[in-house]
Structure formats: C-alpha cells, structure tokens
Amino acid sequence: MQRFEFSFCDGPLDARSLEVRARRDEDGAVVTFVGVTRNHHDGRSVVGLAYEAYEAMAVARVLAILAEVGGGHDVGRILVEHRLGEVPIGEASIAVVVSAPHRGPAFDAVREVMDRIKREAPIFKKEFFGGGEDAEWVGEVPRV
Amino acid sequence: MQRFEFSFCDGPLDARSLEVRARRDEDGAVVTFVGVTRNHHDGRSVVGLAYEAYEAMAVARVLAILAEVGGGHDVGRILVEHRLGEVPIGEASIAVVVSAPHRGPAFDAVREVMDRIKREAPIFKKEFFGGGEDAEWVGEVPRV
Amino acid sequence: MRVHVLLFASLREIAGDSQVEFELGAGATAVAVREELAARWPATRQVPYIVAVNQDYATDEHELSDGDEVALVPAISGG
Amino acid sequence: MRVHVLLFASLREIAGDSQVEFELGAGATAVAVREELAARWPATRQVPYIVAVNQDYATDEHELSDGDEVALVPAISGG
C-alpha cells in the first residue's frame, strides 16, 4: 500500500520520525531530503528566513503532487513536512522522505517532489540579510 | 572545507548523528540514503542478512570513492557508515549522508557513492531465506 | 458580485491586510481583481503575481462567480 | 616465495579458514594462487572471484612478490 502525507508545522522539524513511519518491511531504501536555512543566497549574507503559505491550497497541491509522483514510481510512502514562520540558520524548513523496495525510484521520487513543490506550492519565503539590507520575498511566480 | 568519512559499525546505525555532523552553515541541502534489510529478493522471502568485509581494503576503497565523488560535485561533507554482522529486517545496513549548498549536487553525490560502493567495495552479503532454503552469498564479482 | 481576495507575502505587506472583499461587475474576469487591487494600492503594480481561483491557478481571463475565493500569489519558494 | 592469502564469504566457508599461507615458485602470478586454492579445496572452483594484491584489484597475470597480501574476493554486495 502506498501512502502520501503532507503537513505544515510551526516548530523544529523531525525528519527521523518521518523516516520511521515511512519504511515498510518490503522497502530496502529510504531517501531523505532536508532543506536547511543556509547563510548565503546569490552571494549575499543571509541571517534568517521566514515562510508563510496559502495553507489550504498548498496542502491540496502538495498532496496532489505526491500522488502523481508516487503513481509514476515503485515507491511505498512519501512523507513531507514543511515548517512555517521563522527558520534560523541551520534549522530545517522541509523534509521529504520516500521509502521504496529499491533505491533508484526513491531518489527519483524525492527529486521530483522537491522540484514540483518549489514550482507549484503557494509557499512564500522572506530572506533577511546581514548589513542592514532590506528583507526580500524571493522565488518565482508559478505558471498556470 | 570538504570532509569525507567512512567507518564500519557492529550495531544499529544512527543516520541522524551523521546528518548533524554533515551540515555546515553554508549548506542548504542534506540528502540521506539509508539501505535497510527488506523481506524479499528476486521474489524470494528473506528473513535476515549478514555482512562481512575485507575491512582494511574496504575502508581505503570507500574513502577513495568519497574523495573522487566529492571532487566532482559542489558538496560539503560525505559521511558513510556500514554495519557488519547480522542485520535484521527493517534495520539499516548503510547510511550515506551528503551536505551541500544546493540540492542537485547532493542528490548526484549520494547516488554515485552508492553505485560505486556496491560495485567496488569488498563487502559481502549473505541472505537467509524463509522455508528452509540454503543461505546464499549474493552480488557480483568486481572488475579490475 | 462579491469575491473574497486573499493576499500573501509582499502583497499582504503593501495592503496591510491578508484578506479583503471586492465588489465586481457581473461577468468580471480575474483581470478585474488586478485592476481593483492596483487602484486601491498602487504599489502592488510592482509585484508580479498569478491568481488562484478557488485554490487552482487561473489565467486573467478566468470568469469569476459570486463568492469565489481569489488568491493573489506572488513569487513562491517553498522547500 | 610466500604469500599471505585472505579468504572471504563462500571461499572462507569452503576452506574453513579466513587466511592461509601459500608457498609459490619464483615469478608466480596470481593465477598460481588460483591453482593452489583449487588443488587444496576443489569446491572453490565453483566460486567466481577476483584477486586483490595488497588491497588493489589485480588481473590473473599480476606478478606476485614475497610477502604479498593476496585477497580472494568473490561476489560483493555492500550497501
């Protein structure tokens, strides 16, 4: 049985608990992507991030993405969690965990899920820079 | 600074501690592969696995692989741990963790490390089957 | 007709609110929401965005209905 | 000359030991190790393997030196 889950959270992410829930006895591979606030972007020093979301649509859209990606690969579970609010340097903003019998489809599914969430999910990121520069909302406008 | 680490262990693997050690402040991506004993192989029911290794050569060879793969991608740390001895169903036999500023190179590096370890590292796997079948050493002989 | 407009990120900051109600003429399309937004908050003209009607991304030609939820979605960057 | 031979996996099980010493003639190549192994434990003929000399995979034509560590590496499957 495949299973797909997505939720937002307000505090620190726990990727390990997703991994424990992801694995089935027929799975030989668990691939995890954790996105972390880093201290730079396009050559500028970043001191922090904050996320907000159009939550209802984002949940529906991400679950649709997981079902589509899961339908295209021999994977078991795809579990995703995204943090909202401020995320300090070094803390996780997203965790994507995919379990599968074999590792190839697990890698492919994690990459596709990440690429599509970035392009399609209405989640907004504000970057705070060092040196007194104005904070900026970053990213690209999605297409129909 | 890049860093590459490999070690064998006898008991349960702790991928989370590798992840914590992997991340640098300039890294926005941490990708983890965990290989787990699954309950089937080529259609047969598997009840357990045991690993042994030519340890000195395996350590040297894996560290060489990590340095080569790391040299080809913009990644930070590549940390790998492999368990030896019996590994029950659902427990991890290997964890590969790669940190990087961006996720693409991290995914590529994890996949390459796994592919090369499987092909090159002198690590041996014995599968124990259900139903009284004889246990079997599996895999392929490496090439020069 | 009346539509419920949701504002996010820089649009929310410019408007000073995360939701507003717009009164539009019969047969209005999403472009009418853009015009009303720009009229009320001229600074929003600088912000590229796409509309989502009832949680689906839509073109500016999308015809609106009374009671629609129209979200204005500027640059996204989840993950 | 004398080489130190390491056995793994099914080869180790057949031989009942994980290391043995082989006495070989001067100028012997890795193939001499194969022949000696097969002579002592005929069942090892059924097991495909490659040799590694001093921790590097080598061809059967590799010339051995006194004191070499010769590992016999059957099918591998780490990970």
Side-chain angles (χ1 to χ4, degrees), chain B residues 19-80:
Chain B
E19 288 172 357
V20 169
R21 283 193 292 121
R23 210 197 53 79
R24 309 167 302 168
D25 276 353
E26 62 261 47
D27 291 328
V30 179
V31 175
T32 302
F33 172 79
V34 175
V36 181
T37 302
R38 62 171 186 265
N39 63 8
H40 62 99
H41 180 74
D42 284 347
R44 294 206 278 177
S45 157
V46 171
V47 297
L49 291 183
Y51 287 92
E52 69 177 63
Y54 179 12
E55 292 191 42
M57 178 174 165
V59 168
R61 175 63 67 144
V62 173
L63 287 173
I65 291 169
L66 303 191
E68 285 177 35
V69 172
H73 298 283
D74 179 13
V75 299
R77 294 181 183 149
I78 308 182
L79 309 182
V80 181

XYZ file of all heavy atoms in Angstrom, chain B residues 19-80:
464
model
N 23.906 13.073 10.037
C 23.323 14.286 9.447
C 23.725 15.528 10.243
O 24.029 16.573 9.677
C 21.798 14.182 9.397
C 21.328 13.189 8.351
C 19.830 12.946 8.428
O 19.159 13.494 9.325
O 19.331 12.182 7.578
N 23.700 15.388 11.558
C 24.056 16.530 12.400
C 25.511 16.939 12.141
O 25.828 18.120 12.027
C 23.844 16.178 13.893
C 24.459 17.243 14.787
C 22.354 16.022 14.179
N 26.378 15.928 11.985
C 27.784 16.242 11.741
C 28.027 16.710 10.313
O 29.040 17.337 10.008
C 28.660 15.022 12.037
C 28.870 14.810 13.540
C 29.975 13.819 13.797
N 29.620 12.475 13.381
C 30.277 11.752 12.486
N 31.356 12.230 11.917
N 29.868 10.534 12.199
N 27.120 16.385 9.389
C 27.361 16.688 7.975
C 27.173 18.159 7.638
O 27.869 18.705 6.796
C 26.440 15.846 7.093
N 26.227 18.808 8.274
C 25.812 20.121 7.815
C 26.781 21.241 8.204
O 27.221 21.315 9.338
C 24.427 20.437 8.380
C 23.596 21.346 7.481
C 22.477 21.915 8.280
N 23.004 22.543 9.470
C 23.556 23.740 9.480
N 23.621 24.463 8.402
N 24.040 24.235 10.604
N 27.068 22.101 7.250
C 27.819 23.333 7.513
C 26.860 24.505 7.332
O 25.816 24.378 6.681
C 28.974 23.469 6.500
C 29.863 22.233 6.382
C 30.758 22.348 5.145
N 29.971 22.496 3.926
C 30.458 22.831 2.744
N 31.756 23.068 2.604
N 29.673 22.945 1.697
N 27.221 25.675 7.846
C 26.285 26.806 7.753
C 26.027 27.257 6.319
O 25.008 27.886 6.047
C 26.785 27.992 8.594
C 26.376 27.830 10.057
O 25.611 26.883 10.362
O 26.807 28.642 10.886
N 26.929 26.940 5.400
C 26.697 27.324 4.012
C 25.869 26.293 3.252
O 25.576 26.473 2.071
C 28.023 27.572 3.277
C 28.944 26.371 3.180
C 30.032 26.401 4.245
O 29.702 26.645 5.437
O 31.212 26.158 3.894
N 25.476 25.205 3.918
C 24.725 24.143 3.241
C 23.223 24.321 3.389
O 22.707 24.504 4.491
C 25.119 22.777 3.811
C 26.542 22.397 3.449
O 26.989 22.801 2.355
O 27.198 21.718 4.245
N 22.523 24.243 2.250
C 21.065 24.327 2.272
C 20.398 22.982 2.060
O 19.177 22.886 2.108
N 21.191 21.942 1.808
C 20.621 20.631 1.483
C 21.386 19.526 2.196
O 22.614 19.535 2.219
C 20.693 20.393 -0.027
N 20.642 18.614 2.775
C 21.236 17.402 3.337
C 20.434 16.221 2.780
O 19.225 16.132 3.000
C 21.193 17.387 4.874
C 21.805 16.093 5.407
C 21.913 18.604 5.452
N 21.110 15.361 2.024
C 20.443 14.193 1.444
C 20.999 12.942 2.109
O 22.211 12.786 2.254
C 20.648 14.115 -0.082
C 20.051 12.825 -0.647
C 20.016 15.330 -0.758
N 20.085 12.069 2.531
C 20.459 10.851 3.245
C 19.902 9.638 2.526
O 18.717 9.607 2.190
C 19.867 10.875 4.672
O 20.330 12.033 5.349
C 20.269 9.628 5.448
N 20.764 8.664 2.281
C 20.277 7.357 1.830
C 20.493 6.364 2.949
O 21.599 6.266 3.491
C 21.026 6.878 0.586
C 20.669 5.453 0.240
C 19.479 5.176 -0.417
C 21.481 4.396 0.624
C 19.113 3.868 -0.696
C 21.124 3.086 0.344
C 19.944 2.827 -0.319
N 19.435 5.637 3.296
C 19.566 4.550 4.260
C 19.144 3.258 3.567
O 18.039 3.169 3.024
C 18.711 4.806 5.514
C 18.772 3.608 6.456
C 19.192 6.058 6.244
N 20.045 2.296 3.543
C 19.733 0.975 2.994
C 19.298 0.077 4.131
O 19.952 0.018 5.172
N 18.165 -0.596 3.930
C 17.535 -1.340 5.014
C 17.327 -2.782 4.557
O 17.038 -3.029 3.382
C 16.164 -0.698 5.350
C 15.477 -1.429 6.478
C 16.329 0.780 5.670
N 17.460 -3.733 5.463
C 17.169 -5.125 5.116
C 15.684 -5.266 4.806
O 14.842 -4.943 5.634
C 17.511 -6.064 6.285
O 18.888 -5.895 6.620
C 17.262 -7.517 5.895
N 15.392 -5.723 3.588
C 13.989 -5.914 3.216
C 13.651 -7.395 3.200
O 14.546 -8.258 3.191
C 13.679 -5.242 1.883
C 14.434 -5.777 0.711
C 13.921 -5.219 -0.603
N 14.611 -5.886 -1.692
C 15.685 -5.413 -2.300
N 16.172 -4.242 -1.970
N 16.280 -6.103 -3.238
N 12.357 -7.681 3.188
C 11.900 -9.062 3.392
C 11.790 -9.879 2.109
O 11.136 -10.918 2.096
C 10.561 -9.059 4.152
C 9.452 -8.373 3.356
O 9.643 -8.028 2.185
N 8.305 -8.184 3.991
N 12.415 -9.386 1.020
C 12.327 -10.142 -0.232
C 13.536 -9.835 -1.103
O 14.157 -8.773 -0.972
C 11.043 -9.779 -0.998
C 11.002 -8.328 -1.393
N 11.334 -7.882 -2.648
C 10.692 -7.216 -0.680
C 11.222 -6.558 -2.692
N 10.842 -6.126 -1.518
N 13.874 -10.769 -2.018
C 14.938 -10.539 -3.002
C 14.671 -11.451 -4.182
O 14.544 -12.667 -4.013
C 16.314 -10.836 -2.395
C 17.436 -10.605 -3.364
N 17.861 -9.343 -3.721
C 18.194 -11.471 -4.087
C 18.847 -9.443 -4.607
N 19.063 -10.723 -4.836
N 14.547 -10.862 -5.368
C 14.249 -11.648 -6.573
C 13.079 -12.605 -6.349
O 13.135 -13.786 -6.751
C 15.488 -12.451 -7.005
C 16.517 -11.545 -7.675
O 16.178 -10.390 -8.025
O 17.657 -11.997 -7.839
N 12.049 -12.122 -5.673
C 10.844 -12.933 -5.496
C 10.898 -13.930 -4.357
O 9.923 -14.635 -4.096
N 12.049 -14.008 -3.674
C 12.131 -14.948 -2.557
C 11.991 -14.228 -1.222
O 12.409 -13.081 -1.076
C 13.477 -15.674 -2.594
C 13.574 -16.569 -3.815
C 14.529 -17.694 -3.570
N 15.910 -17.275 -3.781
C 16.947 -18.076 -3.577
N 16.768 -19.307 -3.098
N 18.168 -17.661 -3.811
N 11.439 -14.916 -0.252
C 11.258 -14.359 1.072
C 12.593 -14.356 1.830
O 13.255 -15.386 1.945
C 10.221 -15.203 1.808
O 10.369 -15.060 3.192
N 13.004 -13.194 2.306
C 14.271 -13.061 3.045
C 13.955 -12.868 4.529
O 13.096 -12.069 4.889
C 15.084 -11.850 2.521
C 16.294 -11.568 3.407
C 15.509 -12.082 1.080
N 14.646 -13.636 5.390
C 14.378 -13.486 6.824
C 15.507 -12.764 7.569
O 15.352 -12.374 8.715
C 14.099 -14.862 7.497
C 12.837 -15.483 6.886
C 15.287 -15.789 7.352
N 16.644 -12.567 6.886
C 17.727 -11.829 7.528
C 18.943 -11.750 6.631
O 19.006 -12.408 5.582
N 19.888 -10.913 7.019
C 21.121 -10.713 6.253
C 22.302 -10.707 7.192
O 22.178 -10.364 8.367
C 21.124 -9.331 5.594
C 20.179 -9.010 4.457
C 20.485 -7.595 3.975
C 20.364 -10.008 3.328
N 23.474 -11.070 6.653
C 24.704 -10.851 7.407
C 25.757 -10.302 6.444
O 25.830 -10.738 5.283
C 25.191 -12.138 8.046
N 26.545 -9.349 6.921
C 27.610 -8.753 6.119
C 28.965 -9.082 6.710
O 29.132 -9.125 7.942
C 27.485 -7.229 6.094
C 26.353 -6.705 5.256
C 25.111 -6.454 5.815
C 26.523 -6.474 3.896
C 24.068 -5.964 5.039
C 25.486 -5.984 3.120
C 24.266 -5.732 3.695
O 23.242 -5.255 2.933
N 29.945 -9.330 5.839
C 31.335 -9.330 6.278
C 32.121 -8.491 5.273
O 31.605 -8.160 4.206
C 31.908 -10.751 6.414
C 32.111 -11.505 5.130
C 32.749 -12.894 5.373
O 32.136 -13.741 6.029
O 33.877 -13.109 4.863
N 33.342 -8.133 5.616
C 34.110 -7.254 4.724
C 35.600 -7.543 4.831
O 36.087 -8.070 5.830
C 33.861 -5.786 5.075
N 36.290 -7.222 3.757
C 37.755 -7.137 3.765
C 37.999 -5.710 4.263
O 38.107 -4.767 3.479
C 38.237 -7.345 2.343
C 39.724 -7.269 2.094
C 40.673 -7.271 3.133
C 40.200 -7.224 0.781
C 42.023 -7.203 2.857
C 41.554 -7.164 0.493
C 42.462 -7.153 1.536
O 43.804 -7.102 1.257
N 38.050 -5.582 5.583
C 37.855 -4.259 6.176
C 38.897 -3.228 5.765
O 38.557 -2.100 5.400
C 37.776 -4.365 7.710
C 36.513 -5.084 8.153
C 36.279 -4.967 9.663
O 36.485 -3.858 10.219
O 35.900 -5.966 10.277
N 40.168 -3.605 5.815
C 41.213 -2.613 5.520
C 41.069 -2.083 4.097
O 41.117 -0.867 3.856
C 42.593 -3.231 5.723
N 40.856 -3.014 3.137
C 40.723 -2.561 1.745
C 39.425 -1.795 1.545
O 39.382 -0.799 0.813
C 40.791 -3.748 0.777
C 40.615 -3.322 -0.676
S 40.866 -4.682 -1.858
C 40.150 -3.959 -3.358
N 38.351 -2.253 2.186
C 37.056 -1.575 2.010
C 37.130 -0.134 2.500
O 36.627 0.784 1.842
C 35.949 -2.337 2.740
N 37.770 0.079 3.639
C 37.883 1.445 4.163
C 38.673 2.313 3.188
O 38.255 3.431 2.830
C 38.543 1.453 5.561
C 38.915 2.877 5.969
C 37.608 0.824 6.595
N 39.803 1.795 2.708
C 40.627 2.581 1.778
C 39.866 2.869 0.485
O 39.878 3.987 -0.043
C 41.928 1.829 1.475
N 39.177 1.853 -0.022
C 38.479 1.994 -1.295
C 37.303 2.966 -1.178
O 37.094 3.820 -2.035
C 38.022 0.605 -1.753
C 37.166 0.533 -2.990
C 37.831 1.034 -4.269
N 38.942 0.235 -4.735
C 39.218 0.010 -6.031
N 38.430 0.492 -6.992
N 40.272 -0.689 -6.374
N 36.538 2.837 -0.090
C 35.391 3.737 0.065
C 35.864 5.181 0.248
O 35.309 6.105 -0.358
C 34.463 3.297 1.219
C 33.373 4.355 1.460
C 33.831 1.946 0.901
N 36.913 5.383 1.032
C 37.408 6.763 1.199
C 37.894 7.335 -0.141
O 37.682 8.518 -0.432
C 38.518 6.816 2.252
C 38.028 6.652 3.697
C 39.216 6.537 4.653
C 37.132 7.820 4.120
N 38.486 6.477 -0.970
C 38.912 6.946 -2.303
C 37.692 7.322 -3.143
O 37.691 8.341 -3.855
C 39.741 5.866 -3.001
N 36.631 6.514 -3.055
C 35.396 6.817 -3.788
C 34.822 8.155 -3.318
O 34.437 9.008 -4.129
C 34.353 5.685 -3.583
C 34.822 4.401 -4.290
C 32.967 6.116 -4.064
C 33.995 3.161 -3.931
N 34.778 8.353 -2.012
C 34.203 9.600 -1.479
C 34.994 10.812 -1.963
O 34.420 11.840 -2.352
C 34.156 9.568 0.056
C 33.388 8.416 0.706
C 33.212 8.667 2.199
C 32.045 8.167 0.040
N 36.323 10.684 -1.965
C 37.155 11.809 -2.412
C 36.935 12.081 -3.897
O 36.848 13.238 -4.321
C 38.623 11.522 -2.119
N 36.808 11.015 -4.691
C 36.585 11.217 -6.132
C 35.219 11.823 -6.396
O 35.077 12.767 -7.179
C 36.716 9.889 -6.882
C 38.161 9.437 -7.040
C 38.261 8.085 -7.734
O 37.436 7.799 -8.621
O 39.168 7.319 -7.361
N 34.190 11.281 -5.763
C 32.836 11.812 -5.973
C 32.756 13.248 -5.443
O 32.210 14.143 -6.095
C 31.780 10.914 -5.287
C 30.404 11.577 -5.329
C 31.741 9.540 -5.959
N 33.338 13.462 -4.267
C 33.306 14.806 -3.685
C 34.044 15.815 -4.546
O 33.649 16.977 -4.634
N 35.116 15.364 -5.187
C 35.870 16.267 -6.053
C 35.099 16.688 -7.296
O 35.402 17.694 -7.914
N 34.080 15.889 -7.659
C 33.319 16.159 -8.874
C 32.049 16.968 -8.658
O 31.338 17.267 -9.617
N 31.739 17.282 -7.416
C 30.488 17.997 -7.134
C 30.723 19.058 -6.067
O 31.588 18.898 -5.210
C 29.424 17.019 -6.618
C 29.056 15.956 -7.597
N 28.232 16.193 -8.665
C 29.406 14.645 -7.675
C 28.087 15.078 -9.360
N 28.786 14.118 -8.785
N 29.897 20.103 -6.097
C 29.970 21.131 -5.058
C 29.213 20.638 -3.827
O 28.055 20.995 -3.595
C 29.360 22.440 -5.578
C 29.398 23.541 -4.524
O 30.102 23.369 -3.499
O 28.721 24.571 -4.723
N 29.880 19.772 -3.065
C 29.275 19.239 -1.841
C 30.212 19.512 -0.670
O 31.403 19.788 -0.858
C 29.001 17.713 -1.944
C 28.024 17.426 -3.070
C 30.292 16.927 -2.135
N 29.641 19.460 0.527
C 30.430 19.762 1.703
C 31.025 18.515 2.315
O 32.199 18.212 2.138
N 30.192 17.750 3.009
C 30.687 16.548 3.675
C 29.990 15.324 3.121
O 28.824 15.388 2.741
C 30.445 16.680 5.174
C 31.318 17.811 5.706
C 31.217 18.071 7.167
N 32.071 19.228 7.445
C 31.854 20.124 8.387
N 30.813 20.002 9.195
N 32.681 21.129 8.552
N 30.741 14.240 3.045
C 30.150 12.948 2.680
C 30.514 11.991 3.803
O 31.693 11.667 3.987
C 30.687 12.419 1.335
C 30.560 13.481 0.231
C 29.942 11.147 0.942
C 31.041 12.986 -1.142
N 29.503 11.564 4.535
C 29.733 10.693 5.689
C 29.000 9.376 5.460
O 27.802 9.362 5.166
C 29.210 11.363 6.964
C 29.677 12.807 7.226
C 29.105 13.318 8.550
C 31.198 12.906 7.243
N 29.732 8.273 5.594
C 29.158 6.959 5.309
C 29.469 6.004 6.452
O 30.591 5.995 6.973
C 29.736 6.373 3.997
C 29.110 5.015 3.685
C 29.528 7.336 2.836
